[in-house]
Amino acid sequence: NSLLAGKTHSLLITGPGGQGKTSLVGKLALDLQAHGYRLFAWSARPENSWRDFELEMEQTLDRPRVDRYDKFLPRAENESARAQFMLDLLMEQFNGRVVLFLDNLETIQDPDTLALKDSTVEAWLRAANQMQGMILLVTSRWQIPDWDGEHEPLTHVNYGDFLQIAQ
């Protein structure tokens, strides 16, 4: 409800593997999609290229916005500027109703510092987190340093949780 009401714009769900982080955030993302949001989802797995994900986002743009993006690309100062410009175009195209769901980020986090090891994903994460009105949903086993948003840690499921689910 807080996502739909605009009270929460970025949410990080953390916890041990197998606790339902992806299922929970996936359900939230699909609920938002059912309410008219355009959903973009990426899971940090070796078989999922970030550049392919960017291409997927670009392919949803109409011709005038693609032309603007193509003209901007050679002038982009860095990855953050590129991410910011693309996210601006997406927000414009979809009337400010965009959800970015980034799953399984622990696979690209340093286990000691918890920092993201992929500078491209980090730049996009920062840009999305600063984007006014965009909804950012993230899952990881670990907290993300300097996370600027809501954080909900999940704990191990216990027997009582299963009883509640069954009831």
Side-chain angles (χ1 to χ4, degrees):
N1 288 336
S2 67
L3 289 168
L4 286 172
K7 295 177 185 171
T8 299
H9 294 285
S10 57
L11 175 64
L12 169 64
I13 303 285
T14 59
Q19 301 306 304
K21 297 179 298 294
T22 298
S23 295
L24 174 61
V25 176
K27 168 80 168 91
L28 293 172
L30 291 174
D31 287 351
L32 289 163
Q33 186 177 38
H35 281 88
Y37 283 81
R38 180 57 168 93
L39 172 61
F40 296 96
W42 179 75
S43 182
R45 300 187 186 283
E47 64 271 17
N48 296 336
S49 157
W50 181 264
R51 292 296 180 208
D52 288 347
F53 179 56
E54 283 184 47
L55 179 60
E56 176 187 326
M57 288 186 281
E58 185 177 345
Q59 288 174 334
T60 66
L61 296 174
D62 59 19
R63 183 85 244 147
R65 287 182 180 89
V66 168
D67 292 343
R68 285 171 50 200
Y69 187 65
D70 288 345
K71 286 179 185 175
F72 173 79
L73 277 180
R75 295 172 183 85
E77 294 175 21
N78 53 40
E79 193 68 39
S80 294
R82 208 165 60 79
Q84 184 71 47
F85 196 78
M86 171 58 86
L87 295 174
D88 282 337
L89 291 173
L90 291 171
M91 289 293 282
E92 183 181 293
Q93 170 111 6
F94 297 106
N95 300 312
R97 299 174 66 83
V98 176
V99 176
L100 193 61
F101 173 19
L102 305 179
D103 184 39
N104 205 36
L105 291 192
E106 71 273 0
T107 61
I108 58 170
Q109 282 181 270
D110 182 288
D112 296 323
T113 66
L114 305 184
L116 294 177
K117 296 184 288 186
D118 187 314
S119 60
T120 300
V121 175
E122 181 180 20
W124 281 78
L125 183 68
R126 271 195 321 272
N129 209 359
Q130 295 170 0
M131 178 69 56
Q132 184 69 25
M134 174 170 280
I135 295 178
L136 176 61
L137 304 173
V138 178
T139 68
S140 177
R141 291 186 183 186
W142 306 312
Q143 170 71 21
I144 295 174
D146 302 323
W147 176 257
D148 184 25
E150 297 291 322
H151 174 223
E152 293 293 330
L154 299 182
T155 58
H156 282 287
V157 178
N158 63 40
Y159 181 71
D161 292 333
F162 288 111
L163 287 178
Q164 285 287 339
I165 293 168
Q167 291 175 347

